[in-house]
Amino acid sequence: MSRQFFVSLDGPKGAGKTTLLEAITKVLRADNKKVIRLCEKKSDPYRGETMALVNKLARNPTLDLEREVCVRLADSRAWISRHVLTKQPVDCIILMDRWYPSDAAFRRMIPFAEILQLNIERNVRTPDLHVGVVTAPDISWARAASRSRGLGSTVISKLEEHVVCTAAFEREIANHDWILCRNEGTIEDATMQVISEIYKVPGCP
């Protein structure tokens, strides 16, 4: 492989993205692949300012404020694209925990087509493979509740909201032909599905 191969894993809370990322990383490294794991929120130097807006949006939802959040996130991804992704080794596989597809789950008023355009206009890096990780909402909600940080979330605080965001995300997976990974069985099954999809893409060994 003579270029970076960029994979994003996105989805609602509790769908098991982080666990899946860890398992995928282990399998790829065992196959002698150079893997770089990144997380959007940890790579974003403006995260604190953006989350202050997200908190404000949660208290007082308005169309203009949600648009401002979407713009800020797109600007941050553009920064990450230029200053973080370009610094990674040429022959690596980059696994990103959340990228712009996640906005399809969490934004309520702004159509995802508009969010996508915001990211395109800013030259946000397009993944070679988009993976949408989902479960039935009751399963991911229960998983989220069992985590050490529990159900704490700025954006989603009720099961009903989680059901809506999961359905919205699944619609966009279908609309954009992203890879759908139903992470409801064993982690091994979900891992091998994603590994198989990575190896199918031209340019990745």
Side-chain angles (χ1 to χ4, degrees):
M1 185 170 62
S2 59
R3 66 183 184 91
Q4 295 175 344
F5 189 82
F6 183 33
V7 183
S8 76
L9 272 74
D10 294 89
K13 62 189 288 182
K17 293 181 301 302
T18 302
T19 303
L20 185 54
L21 276 164
E22 291 170 354
I24 293 167
T25 300
K26 185 176 179 179
V27 171
L28 289 172
R29 286 178 176 165
D31 200 19
N32 295 315
K33 300 296 183 286
K34 187 182 294 182
V35 181
I36 306 294
R37 276 187 53 194
L38 298 173
C39 177
E40 181 187 359
K41 68 180 180 181
K42 292 180 180 178
S43 304
D44 179 2
Y46 310 108
R47 200 70 178 185
E49 298 164 25
T50 301
M51 289 310 298
L53 277 179
V54 171
N55 283 316
K56 186 177 177 182
L57 177 64
R59 295 190 300 270
N60 181 30
T62 68
L63 184 63
D64 287 345
L65 192 52
E66 182 166 286
R67 183 173 287 109
E68 188 175 354
V69 167
C70 293
V71 167
R72 287 194 65 94
L73 287 170
D75 286 339
S76 291
R77 293 178 192 122
W79 188 93
I80 295 169
S81 296
R82 291 193 304 272
H83 299 285
V84 179
L85 298 183
T86 57
K87 301 295 190 296
Q88 306 310 316
V90 170
D91 57 345
C92 72
I93 297 174
I94 300 171
L95 301 178
M96 178 67 78
D97 188 346
R98 293 203 185 284
W99 202 232
Y100 57 79
S102 279
D103 273 358
F106 298 114
R107 306 283 78 85
R108 310 295 177 79
M109 294 172 275
I110 305 295
F112 183 70
E114 186 174 332
I115 293 170
L116 183 57
Q117 189 59 36
L118 287 172
N119 285 269
I120 290 171
E121 289 170 356
R122 286 159 176 75
N123 294 313
V124 171
R125 175 94 171 259
T126 302
D128 297 290
L129 189 70
H130 294 281
V131 180
V133 185
V134 299
T135 72
D138 58 323
I139 293 176
S140 47
W141 190 254
R143 286 179 182 171
S146 69
R147 298 183 301 198
S148 57
R149 63 183 182 275
L151 291 168
S153 171
T154 304
V155 181
I156 305 294
S157 58
K158 299 177 182 176
L159 175 58
E160 294 79 8
E161 296 170 332
H162 183 64
V163 170
V164 170
C165 89
T166 301
F169 187 66
E170 289 201 48
R171 282 195 300 273
E172 297 302 337
I173 291 174
N175 289 343
H176 296 278
D177 292 324
W178 299 333
I179 300 303
L180 172 64
C181 179
R182 286 206 166 278
N183 192 21
E184 296 168 337
T186 67
I187 191 66
E188 291 80 10
D189 285 345
T191 300
M192 295 319 297
Q193 180 197 350
V194 177
I195 294 288
S196 174
E197 295 292 349
I198 288 172
Y199 284 170
K200 283 181 188 175
V201 179
C204 185

